[in-house]
Amino acid sequence: RQGFELTIALPGKGIREELISKVEKKSFTSGKSNSIGIGVFFSLQFAENHGGQLKINSIVQKGTLICLSIPKSHIIVEH
């Protein structure tokens, strides 16, 4: 695979399947009192603006995997 890929594993309660599509919306939060619900939204925007993807896989009571990928053609390297 060419480009950049970052996978984050978050052990814990996971995200219920019916909420996966909602976490991509700005200001969505599942009830955390200290959350404003913009993390996944801005991560998705970043990925799409750079020709990439943000994938979320979750199993309730196990945890969540979030994978951000950006193709090589959209990566700028300065020396």
Side-chain angles (χ1 to χ4, degrees), residues 14-59:
I15 303 170
R16 294 190 321 266
E17 188 174 339
E18 66 270 16
L19 297 180
I20 294 285
S21 63
K22 293 180 181 180
V23 299
E24 298 173 352
K25 293 180 172 50
K26 189 175 183 180
S27 300
F28 176 81
T29 181
S30 60
K32 292 182 185 175
S33 61
N34 62 345
S35 176
I36 57 175
I38 60 173
V40 174
F41 173 79
F42 282 119
S43 298
L44 179 61
Q45 295 299 308
F46 175 84
E48 290 177 348
N49 288 341
H50 292 85
Q53 302 179 47
L54 183 76
K55 294 182 181 179
I56 301 171
N57 294 306
S58 191
I59 300 174

